[in-house]
Amino acid sequence: MSGPLVFMMGKFAAEFPIDRKYAKNHMWGEQRDDCIRFGFTAYAVRLLQDVYFLDWAIDAGVDLAERQEIGSIESKKAESSLYAPVAGRLVRFNEELLSDPSAINLDKYGAGWLFEIAGPGDTLLGPSGYIEHLTGVWEIAQRTIKGQMNE
């Protein structure tokens, strides 16, 4: 397999590079030396749409528990807290996103990365495992989306 895996969100094709791992909170992880760089998956970006505000509640150098709240995000569709996808030491944030988070929308698997964590990342899913996870949660997500459209 050489190209990305694809998950269909209705008519929208969400692509997932196979050279990364994935968290159930819809973040990708890419191993970079002694840490893992994280960003939002195409699935998350599609649901959020146009991210326009990002804020961190903690500083780099902090030890994190998996699912610990680390910040918040606002977009066209949602306001949400952000949680650590894995346990480990927060190494650094992508500071450029604080002044201009548009890279999250435009280059989600590149310049739109969020932060780096040093840790094992042993709870992350492989690409096919993440697609399986999406299959299980997509029905719930669709009901949520339809409910919001009916408001």
Side-chain angles (χ1 to χ4, degrees):
M1 220 185 290
S2 60
L5 293 181
V6 175
F7 180 81
M8 294 306 296
M9 299 173 69
K11 295 178 183 176
F12 178 77
E15 294 187 350
F16 305 98
I18 59 172
D19 65 345
R20 294 159 203 238
K21 299 273 185 143
Y22 296 88
K24 288 185 177 182
N25 70 345
H26 309 299
M27 290 187 183
W28 55 263
E30 178 182 38
Q31 191 69 48
R32 302 180 69 85
D33 298 322
D34 60 346
C35 60
I36 304 169
R37 177 173 282 183
F38 287 96
F40 289 121
T41 66
Y43 179 91
V45 172
R46 178 66 180 171
L47 290 180
L48 288 168
Q49 296 186 8
D50 300 327
V51 174
Y52 57 80
F53 180 76
L54 183 64
D55 188 36
W56 303 118
I58 59 171
D59 296 319
V62 171
D63 288 327
L64 301 171
E66 186 173 345
R67 295 189 291 265
Q68 178 177 338
E69 187 171 340
I70 59 173
S72 60
I73 189 166
E74 290 182 35
S75 72
K76 180 178 177 182
K77 291 285 184 181
E79 291 180 28
S80 180
S81 294
L82 295 175
Y83 301 92
V86 296
R89 179 173 293 267
L90 179 64
V91 176
R92 71 182 179 130
F93 291 107
N94 183 348
E95 296 295 336
E96 293 178 19
L97 294 181
L98 291 176
S99 58
D100 182 11
S102 66
I104 293 170
N105 307 310
L106 302 172
D107 189 13
K108 62 192 124 314
Y109 295 112
W113 66 275
L114 300 168
F115 50 81
E116 294 177 344
I117 296 176
D122 51 4
T123 59
L124 296 173
L125 303 169
S128 58
Y130 183 60
I131 296 289
E132 271 183 49
H133 171 67
L134 291 180
T135 301
V137 299
W138 177 235
E139 187 175 319
I140 296 165
Q142 288 181 89
R143 283 197 302 265
T144 303
I145 293 166
K146 289 176 183 170
Q148 290 171 349
M149 290 181 352
N150 291 331
E151 290 177 352

